[in-house]
Amino acid sequence: MAYFQAMSSTIGVKYVLVILYLYFGPVCSDKENKKSEVLLCRQCGHSVVDGSEVVDIKSTLALRYKNASVLGPKGTLVQTFRNPQGMSFDVITVSKAHIQEAGEAYEEHSWFPDYAWKLAACPRCRAHLGWTFTSTEDDDDNDHDTYNERPSEKYQKPKQYSFAGLIVSRLIRESFADSLIITPKIYQR
């Protein structure tokens, strides 16, 4: 008899837990707790881009396209480009990154039509990480102030880049970099 009372109370607890789960949902949801993968500068470890900033901007001038697991199991569009010197680069595109632009913007030899490119470097170690691309199409807004100023007199704010192309081989996943750290034997048990 005690066996059946124990079973019925165990079944009752399980039943209540199932009802609570169905009503409130899982306590630890993957979407809420799963952090986005971060890509680091391979040379110094600086945090360059969050995985949520990766966007697939396909160029008609790419030599090859492939989906690679740059950010873990999620497929990321990787495009292969060749510069005029014959060097090839595997590139991912991101909407925003922690990089430093260098030099002038050039429209010649751009891998993305209607975009000018600038060099992009790691702000910590200055390693070349890729390029930023800014739209070359003119903005048609003539939003002058109420003081009726001429466009030439208006303060020109520098254009923010539209997106960046980062070289895959110059980046490393944070989770992979963390796995490379070896714990000294004295602390292993």
Side-chain angles (χ1 to χ4, degrees):
M1 185 71 154
Y3 174 75
F4 291 113
Q5 288 176 343
M7 285 299 283
S8 65
S9 66
T10 305
I11 292 172
V13 170
K14 288 180 182 177
Y15 179 74
V16 169
L17 288 175
V18 168
I19 297 298
L20 288 173
Y21 178 82
L22 292 174
Y23 186 75
F24 291 108
V27 176
C28 299
S29 172
D30 285 344
K31 290 180 183 177
E32 294 170 3
N33 288 337
K34 189 174 183 180
K35 286 179 26 182
S36 184
E37 186 74 56
V38 175
L39 294 175
L40 310 174
C41 171
R42 188 176 287 269
Q43 187 164 324
C44 72
H46 176 73
S47 178
V48 175
V49 66
D50 187 70
S52 63
E53 301 294 340
V54 173
V55 291
D56 292 342
I57 300 174
K58 203 169 190 177
S59 171
T60 57
L61 301 176
L63 302 175
R64 181 176 54 224
Y65 308 100
K66 61 183 173 184
N67 278 326
S69 57
V70 174
L71 294 166
K74 178 188 172 231
T76 303
L77 176 67
V78 177
Q79 302 175 79
T80 303
F81 296 103
R82 183 173 292 129
N83 69 9
Q85 288 77 32
M87 297 175 63
S88 293
F89 299 96
D90 287 335
V91 174
I92 61 170
T93 50
V94 299
S95 60
K96 185 170 53 173
H98 303 280
I99 51 178
Q100 184 172 10
E101 293 180 287
E104 297 178 35
Y106 297 98
E107 292 182 45
E108 322 58 64
H109 308 296
S110 179
W111 294 324
F112 294 90
D114 299 324
Y115 288 91
W117 60 271
K118 278 186 181 182
L119 290 174
C122 174
R124 184 188 291 166
C125 70
R126 306 290 186 250
H128 175 224
L129 297 178
W131 304 266
T132 60
F133 294 90
T134 307
S135 176
T136 57
E137 295 179 356
D138 291 333
D139 294 333
D140 289 335
D141 7 288
N142 294 328
D143 51 18
H144 303 295
D145 290 340
T146 56
Y147 298 109
N148 223 2
E149 58 188 338
R150 293 190 300 254
S152 61
E153 295 174 350
K154 187 177 176 187
Y155 169 72
Q156 296 292 322
K157 186 174 142 186
K159 271 188 162 180
Q160 175 68 19
Y161 64 86
S162 303
F163 64 93
L166 301 177
I167 304 168
V168 174
S169 63
R170 310 271 170 95
L171 304 171
I172 189 169
R173 286 194 332 247
E174 183 179 44
S175 61
F176 182 71
D178 288 346
S179 72
L180 297 176
I181 299 172
I182 300 171
T183 307
K185 289 183 180 181
I186 193 166
Y187 296 115
Q188 294 177 356
R189 292 194 191 240

